[in-house]
Amino acid sequence: MIIKSKLSLPTPLKRSIVRKRLMHNLGNCKLGLICAPAGYGKTTAMTDWAQSKKHLAWFSIDRFDDNISRFSNYFIHSINEINAINCPASLEAVKQSQYPDLINLFTLFISEISEYNVPICIVLDNYHHIKNPVIHQGISFFIKNMPNTWQMVIASRTHPNLPVSNLRLKQQLFEISEAELAFTDLETDSFFALCTDFYRDPEKQQALRKSVDGWPAALQLVSILSKDSDTFNECAEQIGKSNHAYLWDYLDEEVFSLLNPKLQTLLLTIAPLNKVDADIVNSLCQIDNGQEQLERLQEQGAFIVANNNQKEWFTFHSFFKTFLLHKCKNTPGIKSDHTKIARLWLSKQNIEEALPHALKSQDQQLIIDLLKGAGWQLLDDGHLSSLDECFDIIKDAIWEYPELVLLELWMLRSRHQGYKVEPLIKKAEAIFAEKNISLSEQVKNELPVIHAQIAINHGKIEDALSQAQKTLLTMETNSIRVNIVAQAIMGEAYHCLGNLPLAYQYFQEVKMLANGQHMHQSVIWAFYQQGEILHAQSNHVEAERHIDAAISLINKYHLQKLPLYAFPLHFKAQKAYQEGDFELAEHLCKSALKVVSPYGEQWRLYTYTLQAKIALEKKDRDQTAPLIEEIERLIRKQHFHSDWIASANYVRIKYWRTCNDITAIERWLENAPIPEHARNHFDQCHNRNRIRAYIQLGDLDKAETLLESNIADAQACELLQEVNRNLILLTTVDCRLKKLESAKKHLLQALELSLLTGLTTCFVRESGNLKSVYLELADDDSLLHSVKERLAYLLSLSGINVNEPQKIPFTPESVKKIQAHPRVPMLVKNIQLTPREWEVLGMIYAGYRNHQIAKMMGVAPTTIKSHIRNVYQKLGLGDRNEAMVLSEELVTLIDE
C-alpha cells in the first residue's frame, strides 16, 4: 500500500513569502543538502523551488520509513509518479522482496530508465528520520550512479550520513544551513506585510527577528497570534524572550521529545551554561564521552551549535536555552548546581562565565574565593553591578578580609559614589582597630590615597594634593595601582588649581602606567580629563581627539554601561549645545541618561541640567519647568561636585530670569557659592552665576567688579574659554552702565579671542543687549579682516542686519501715548519737545552716537549737538546716561 500524499508536492503555505535567493545557486549541482533544525522552513523553501520543475519526484519521509523495504518501495514509486518515466521491473522487484538489496535494486532501476533522456529532480524531505546505515549506503550509491541530468535535493534536521566530500570538491554539492534559512530584516518585513494589515513598530519587529536569530517558526507564531498593533508588540516581546507556551510546546514536541532520555537529561543539566565543552559536560553529567554526546546533539538538530570547526565549544540558540531552563523548572529531579558550575569555570580561569553562577549560588565562601582571585580583574573590566551583588552576598564576612574592603572602596569610586566611600572607610578603620586585624602593605598604601580621593570630591583641593603627594613619597615601589590613582588625583588637583600644563602632564603619566596594567578605566579617565584641559585652553581639535579616544576605548572594552561613559557623552552634548545643534545635544543627553540611570538618581543632575539649557534655548517652557523642579529636588537631597552645582545654578538663574522671578534670584544669592579663587571652569561659572544675578537685580557695580576679578583669574591660568565668556558678559554690563567706549573695547577683545575659542552661542545669547555695540563695530573700518569676518558671521547668527536702521521708539503716535499716560513725568508732560527732538532722543535710546545720528538724519554733526543740548535743557538732563534712563522709563509707558 502506498500513501499518495507522501509522494505529492506539499501545498504552499497561504502566509509565506517566496525566497528565491535560497535555491538560486542550485544550478546543475548533483546534490542539494538543506540542513537545519525544526522550524527553519526547509520544506517551504523546496516547495517554492519545486513549483517550476516539470519532472519532479517528491518523497516526504516519516519515522516509519526507516525500513529498507518501505523506504525502497516509496522511493521507486515517487520517481514512477513522473509521467515521462516508466519502471515496471523495478516496481515488481520492490513488490516481491521484503528486504531488497538496495544496491541491486538501484542498479536495476538506473539500467531500466537509462533509455529515458529526461532531466528529473528527486526530493527527499525529512531525511533525518533515516538512521539505517543500509539505506544511507543505498542512497550514496544512487547519487553516485544516477544520470548526470538528474538532481537530488535532501532536507534534514541533521547532517545525513552520506559521503559528500567528493561532490564538494567537484563543485557538485549545493548546501543550505540554518544561517541561510534564517529570515533577514527585509524578508521579515515582507512576511509580516503579507500576514498582517496593521501598523508594526519597525524597531520592535527588527528586535524580534534579532532575538530569535531569524527563526521562521517564531516569526510565523507571532503572525498567527497578532490581531493588531498592541497584540503584535506584546507577542513579539514574549516570543523574543522565548517566553510563550506555544513556543515551548513546539520545541518540546518537535525537538526535545524526539531525543532519547539520556540526551534529554544531559541537555537539562547543561542548560544554565552559556557555552560548554566536553570537560564541563563530563564533570557535570558524570560521564566520559561528553564530546560524542555534544556532537550527537548537534547532529540531531537540538539547536546546539559548534563555535568552530574543531568543535571544542558549543552554544545553544537563545530561544532553545530559555526553553530548556523552563523545562528544568518543571522536571522533577533536575536542579542546577551553580556552585559546581562556577568552580568549574574558575578552574578554567574563565571569570566572566563563573561570575553569574557564583551569584546565583549565594555561596558566601565561593564569592569570597572568587573576589580574592579575580576581584581586581572584574573591577578593571567594568563588572561593577556584579561586584555590588557580590558584596551584598558576603555581607559582614567582608570585615575579615581587608583586601576585599579595599576592593569595595575602589568599586564605589569607579561608580563615582563618593558619598558612600567616606562612611565605609570610617567603619572599616574602626572595625580593623577593634578586632586588631593586621593590614597588608597593599591596604596600608591604598587607604591614604582613598582619603585623598574623598578630599578632592569634597572640593578640598589642597588637602587632596598634599595627601596624594605624601602617598607617592611613602608607598612601596610595587604599588602600581596606588601610583596611578595618586597621580590621577594630583592631575585633578592641579586642574582645579589652574595649573593646566602640569595637570595634563600628570594625566599623561597616568595613561602610560594604566595602559601597562590594563586599567582601562584609568586610561579613559585620563583621556577625558586631558580633553577638558585642552578645551579650556581652546585647543578644540586635540580636545575632541582625546574625547573620541576615550569613547573608542569604552567601546573596545565594552564599558558602555559604566557611569564613566556619561562624561564624554556630556562633553559632546555640551559641545553640540554650544554649536546650536540642539537635536544632537538632546540625543546625547538621552544616551547619557540611559547609562547613568541604574546608578541612582543623583547621576541624572548634570544631564537634566543640559536638557533644561536646551529647552530654554528652544523657549520650551513646558519642558523646562519639570526639569527645573527635578534639579531643585536633587540639589536639596544630594551632595554634588562643585562642577555640577555650578552648571545647575546657571540654568536655574536663566530660568528665573525668563520667568522674571526676582525673589528666587535674591533668595539664591544669599547662599550662593563664593569661590576664594576662580582658577578652573566651574569656579569661573560659580562667579558668573553671581554676576548674572547681580545684573538681574540691577547691582551692576558688583557685577563689574566680580567680572574683572574673574577675568584676571582666567587670564592667569590661561583659561581662554572663560576669558572669552567673561568679556562678553562684561560688554553687557558696560552697555547697561552706559560705558559705550568700554563696551566697544571689550566686545572687540571678545571677538578677537573668539577666533581661538570658537565661541558663538555666548555672543548670540547676549545679542539683544549688545546690538548697538555690534552695529558700531560693524562701521569700524580699522578692524582686521578676520575680526570683520567673525563679526559678520555672529551678526548673521543673531539675525542682525547692519543695513537695517534701528527701530526708533518715539514716533508721533507713541509720543501721544506717553503724554496722555497718567504716570508720565511732569517735566515731559509740560515741556513740549519738537518732533525732531523726539527723534534725536529715540536715536540716543537706540544706542546711536552723534556722528551716526547726523549721518542718518542728513545734517551736520553740529546741528545734532544743538538738538541734543535743547533736549537736555528742556528735560533737565545732565548727560547721555540720564537721557538713556529717562528714555527707558518712557518706553515702558508706550507698552502699558
Side-chain angles (χ1 to χ4, degrees):
M1 293 286 292
I2 295 293
I3 302 174
K4 286 287 187 180
S5 62
K6 288 168 61 68
L7 307 181
S8 302
L9 185 67
T11 304
L13 295 174
K14 292 182 180 179
R15 305 204 302 180
S16 67
I17 58 170
V18 177
R19 299 193 289 162
K20 293 182 179 180
R21 69 173 176 85
L22 293 176
M23 306 289 282
H24 177 70
N25 293 323
L26 178 57
N28 295 320
C29 289
K30 203 166 189 178
L31 175 63
L33 280 182
I34 306 178
C35 299
Y40 267 96
K42 300 179 293 294
T43 302
T44 301
M46 291 194 304
T47 301
D48 292 337
W49 168 78
Q51 297 295 326
S52 62
K53 302 303 173 185
K54 185 176 181 182
H55 304 299
L56 179 79
W58 186 284
F59 177 14
S60 293
I61 300 169
D62 58 39
R63 62 190 179 90
F64 301 107
D65 296 320
D66 193 24
N67 170 280
I68 300 172
S69 177
R70 183 178 171 88
F71 180 88
S72 59
N73 192 21
Y74 271 104
F75 184 81
I76 298 298
H77 272 87
S78 71
I79 300 174
N80 192 61
E81 289 287 305
I82 300 173
N83 292 330
I85 298 294
N86 189 19
C87 51
S90 300
L91 288 172
E92 186 63 26
V94 295
K95 182 179 179 182
Q96 295 298 328
S97 178
Q98 184 176 2
Y99 300 105
D101 183 319
L102 288 184
I103 303 300
N104 288 337
L105 174 63
F106 289 158
T107 300
L108 169 65
F109 177 72
I110 291 170
S111 176
E112 183 178 17
I113 63 174
S114 60
E115 62 184 271
Y116 300 103
N117 189 22
V118 178
I120 68 173
C121 299
I122 304 168
V123 176
L124 303 181
D125 196 15
N126 296 322
Y127 191 82
H128 53 272
H129 289 298
I130 303 301
K131 306 289 190 289
N132 194 317
V134 175
I135 298 177
H136 290 318
Q137 185 181 21
I139 289 297
S140 298
F141 174 84
F142 186 90
I143 293 169
K144 181 178 180 181
N145 294 283
M146 69 184 185
N148 290 332
T149 57
W150 287 26
Q151 285 182 314
M152 183 177 288
V153 180
I154 296 175
S156 174
R157 293 183 183 178
T158 63
H159 202 284
N161 189 18
L162 301 172
V164 296
S165 57
N166 192 41
L167 290 173
R168 186 179 286 117
L169 288 173
K170 293 181 178 180
Q171 296 184 326
Q172 287 294 300
L173 176 66
F174 173 75
E175 296 177 279
I176 299 179
S177 68
E178 61 193 84
E180 285 82 35
L181 287 166
F183 269 45
T184 65
D185 281 330
L186 184 60
E187 288 170 342
T188 302
D189 190 56
S190 299
F191 171 70
F192 281 120
L194 176 69
C195 300
T196 62
D197 57 0
F198 49 78
Y199 171 77
R200 305 171 312 283
D201 186 327
E203 289 187 7
K204 286 186 167 58
Q205 181 179 287
Q206 189 175 7
L208 167 65
R209 188 211 65 79
K210 187 176 180 180
S211 62
V212 300
D213 298 323
W215 186 35
L219 303 178
Q220 177 78 358
L221 183 57
V222 172
S223 75
I224 293 169
L225 297 175
S226 301
K227 307 302 178 187
D228 52 34
S229 296
D230 291 338
T231 55
F232 175 84
N233 291 340
E234 180 183 350
C235 195
E237 184 175 355
Q238 288 182 331
I239 299 294
K241 293 179 179 177
S242 306
N243 186 24
H244 199 285
Y246 290 176
L247 186 63
W248 291 337
D249 290 345
Y250 179 85
L251 290 170
D252 204 351
E253 294 170 10
E254 294 295 324
V255 182
F256 190 79
S257 64
L258 302 181
L259 302 172
N260 67 54
K262 286 186 177 179
L263 286 178
Q264 289 180 355
T265 302
L266 186 148
L267 275 177
L268 295 177
T269 304
I270 65 174
L273 289 98
N274 293 321
K275 63 179 183 177
V276 292
D277 68 353
D279 289 341
I280 290 177
V281 172
N282 289 338
S283 298
L284 284 180
C285 302
Q286 297 182 332
I287 58 177
D288 57 8
N289 62 341
Q291 185 68 28
E292 178 186 335
Q293 299 287 31
L294 287 170
E295 291 181 12
R296 184 176 298 174
L297 283 169
Q298 185 182 26
E299 290 169 0
Q300 297 195 21
F303 290 97
I304 190 169
V305 183
N307 289 4
N308 52 41
N309 292 333
Q310 285 71 38
K311 297 187 177 181
E312 294 170 348
W313 292 98
F314 291 78
T315 56
F316 291 113
H317 284 262
S318 59
F319 51 83
F320 191 63
K321 177 183 171 69
T322 307
F323 158 74
L324 290 175
L325 292 174
H326 161 74
K327 193 77 175 173
C328 286
K329 294 178 183 177
N330 297 281
T331 304
I334 297 294
K335 186 177 181 181
S336 299
D337 191 342
H338 290 290
T339 298
K340 186 174 183 179
I341 293 171
R343 292 206 179 275
L344 278 171
W345 282 121
L346 286 176
S347 69
K348 292 178 174 288
Q349 297 185 329
N350 192 323
I351 308 305
E352 287 198 19
E353 292 294 339
L355 182 59
H357 296 289
L359 292 172
K360 288 176 184 176
S361 75
Q362 297 288 300
D363 185 326
Q364 275 196 352
Q365 190 55 53
L366 171 61
I367 296 290
I368 289 169
D369 292 344
L370 184 147
L371 291 178
K372 287 171 69 176
W376 294 106
Q377 180 185 332
L378 292 173
L379 176 66
D380 291 336
D381 291 344
H383 296 283
L384 304 188
S385 296
S386 296
L387 279 174
D388 210 13
E389 288 184 59
C390 288
F391 292 123
D392 284 342
I393 292 170
I394 63 177
K395 298 184 174 66
D396 289 341
I398 194 173
W399 305 118
E400 301 298 324
Y401 304 92
E403 66 273 22
L404 296 189
V405 176
L406 197 63
L407 179 64
E408 183 173 10
L409 287 167
W410 285 122
M411 183 270 293
L412 293 172
R413 174 186 174 273
S414 289
R415 297 178 74 163
H416 296 267
Q417 292 178 318
Y419 64 96
K420 289 185 178 181
V421 173
E422 191 169 12
L424 179 60
I425 198 170
K426 286 182 178 178
K427 183 176 181 180
E429 289 173 338
I431 290 175
F432 294 159
E434 179 187 341
K435 294 188 174 185
N436 199 25
I437 294 174
S438 178
L439 302 181
S440 67
E441 287 301 315
Q442 178 193 8
V443 176
K444 289 178 182 177
N445 284 331
E446 297 201 25
L447 286 177
V449 83
I450 293 174
H451 279 295
Q453 184 70 64
I454 293 170
I456 203 161
N457 289 343
H458 286 205
K460 299 175 181 178
I461 309 303
E462 298 289 354
D463 289 349
L465 184 60
S466 174
Q467 186 67 64
Q469 287 172 331
K470 182 180 177 182
T471 300
L472 286 173
L473 290 172
T474 59
M475 73 175 189
E476 295 291 326
T477 55
N478 60 354
S479 276
I480 302 297
R481 179 181 296 275
V482 176
N483 189 333
I484 291 168
V485 177
Q487 296 213 51
I489 290 170
M490 292 179 71
E492 288 188 58
Y494 281 120
H495 189 177
C496 293
L497 293 172
N499 193 335
L500 302 189
L502 188 55
Y504 186 93
Q505 189 56 45
Y506 268 104
F507 282 115
Q508 193 70 13
E509 186 71 13
V510 168
K511 281 194 310 191
M512 184 188 72
L513 291 173
N515 258 323
Q517 297 298 308
H518 306 291
M519 292 172 62
H520 312 308
Q521 295 175 58
S522 294
V523 178
I524 292 162
W525 185 245
F527 267 120
Y528 167 74
Q529 287 288 341
Q530 286 182 317
E532 288 278 13
I533 291 167
L534 291 164
H535 177 71
Q537 295 172 321
S538 293
N539 191 342
H540 301 301
V541 174
E542 277 299 297
E544 191 75 9
R545 187 179 69 81
H546 279 67
I547 297 299
D548 287 341
I551 293 174
S552 177
L553 287 174
I554 287 169
N555 292 330
K556 180 179 179 179
Y557 295 111
H558 310 292
L559 303 176
Q560 296 93 335
K561 293 184 178 180
L562 293 190
L564 179 65
Y565 187 27
F567 288 93
L569 287 176
H570 285 153
F571 182 97
K572 285 188 168 288
Q574 179 70 23
K575 179 175 179 289
Y577 163 77
Q578 291 290 353
E579 293 173 351
D581 191 346
F582 301 135
E583 185 176 344
L584 175 59
E586 183 63 39
H587 171 74
L588 289 164
C589 284
K590 288 178 180 177
S591 298
L593 271 182
K594 188 176 179 181
V595 172
V596 302
S597 289
Y599 295 95
E601 64 176 10
Q602 73 280 358
W603 272 96
R604 301 176 187 176
L605 177 68
Y606 195 80
T607 314
Y608 286 161
T609 298
L610 283 173
Q611 288 181 316
K613 287 164 74 173
I614 296 164
L616 282 169
E617 288 296 327
K618 294 163 67 175
K619 296 182 172 53
D620 188 342
R621 291 280 293 275
D622 292 338
Q623 185 183 358
T624 309
L627 285 168
I628 295 294
E629 287 179 14
E630 277 298 288
I631 290 168
E632 298 276 4
R633 184 182 68 82
L634 289 172
I635 287 176
R636 287 193 301 270
K637 188 177 178 182
Q638 304 281 353
H639 173 80
F640 294 99
H641 189 276
S642 183
D643 187 3
W644 288 21
I645 292 293
S647 295
N649 284 340
Y650 166 80
V651 80
R652 292 165 76 197
I653 293 169
K654 187 169 184 177
Y655 176 70
W656 294 330
R657 285 165 58 197
T658 62
C659 302
N660 199 28
D661 191 345
I662 301 300
T663 303
I665 295 176
E666 289 175 334
R667 189 166 52 245
W668 172 83
L669 197 53
E670 290 174 2
N671 299 299
I674 305 176
E676 185 178 351
H677 300 286
R679 296 169 178 166
N680 52 64
H681 69 274
F682 46 88
D683 284 338
Q684 285 275 320
C685 185
H686 279 309
N687 280 344
R688 277 197 301 277
N689 289 335
R690 290 166 57 219
I691 291 162
R692 291 188 180 94
Y694 290 143
I695 292 172
Q696 194 67 20
L697 298 176
D699 201 341
L700 299 177
D701 291 333
K702 280 187 179 180
E704 184 180 36
T705 301
L706 187 50
L707 265 169
E708 290 170 350
S709 172
N710 229 28
I711 290 172
D713 282 342
Q715 287 174 332
C717 297
E718 298 183 359
L719 301 172
L720 300 186
Q721 292 274 330
E722 305 309 315
V723 174
N724 209 169
R725 290 188 174 99
N726 291 324
L727 283 171
I728 296 167
L729 202 52
L730 183 56
T731 306
T732 296
V733 173
D734 286 336
C735 287
R736 288 177 179 264
L737 289 171
K738 315 306 176 188
K739 297 181 178 180
L740 300 181
E741 285 301 326
S742 181
K744 182 178 176 182
K745 180 186 77 172
H746 289 136
L747 183 58
L748 179 57
Q749 290 174 349
L751 283 169
E752 290 172 342
L753 191 54
S754 73
L755 296 173
L756 292 174
T757 65
L759 287 182
T760 55
T761 53
C762 294
F763 287 94
V764 174
R765 208 172 289 128
E766 296 292 330
S767 60
N769 300 319
L770 306 180
K771 186 173 181 180
S772 61
V773 191
Y774 275 142
L775 293 173
E776 186 150 342
L777 275 180
D779 279 342
D780 191 339
D781 294 331
S782 67
L783 295 183
L784 293 172
H785 177 72
S786 56
V787 176
K788 272 188 169 292
E789 291 275 317
R790 184 71 176 164
L791 177 59
Y793 174 64
L794 292 172
L795 287 171
S796 67
L797 288 180
S798 305
I800 298 174
N801 185 351
V802 294
N803 297 316
E804 180 184 344
Q806 288 258 48
K807 183 179 178 182
I808 308 304
F810 303 132
T811 62
E813 293 77 14
S814 62
V815 169
K816 288 181 181 178
K817 275 189 176 184
I818 290 170
Q819 291 180 329
H821 199 283
R823 289 196 293 107
V824 64
M826 291 306 296
L827 199 60
V828 176
K829 192 176 186 70
N830 294 333
I831 303 296
Q832 297 294 317
L833 298 182
T834 67
R836 202 65 160 173
E837 290 166 348
W838 275 112
E839 188 178 358
V840 169
L841 181 61
M843 289 187 178
I844 291 172
Y845 170 79
Y848 290 115
R849 310 307 298 273
N850 289 4
H851 69 280
Q852 292 173 313
I853 299 173
K855 183 178 178 181
M856 292 177 67
M857 296 181 71
V859 297
T862 53
T863 304
I864 295 301
K865 285 183 179 180
S866 176
H867 285 314
I868 291 174
R869 185 168 56 252
N870 291 340
V871 170
Y872 287 177
Q873 287 175 351
K874 288 182 178 181
L875 300 179
L877 302 173
D879 56 25
R880 184 178 287 264
N881 287 343
E882 290 183 12
M884 290 284 287
V885 172
L886 176 64
S887 299
E888 286 180 2
E889 183 182 344
L890 297 178
V891 167
T892 60
L893 301 180
I894 297 172
D895 298 327
E896 290 185 4

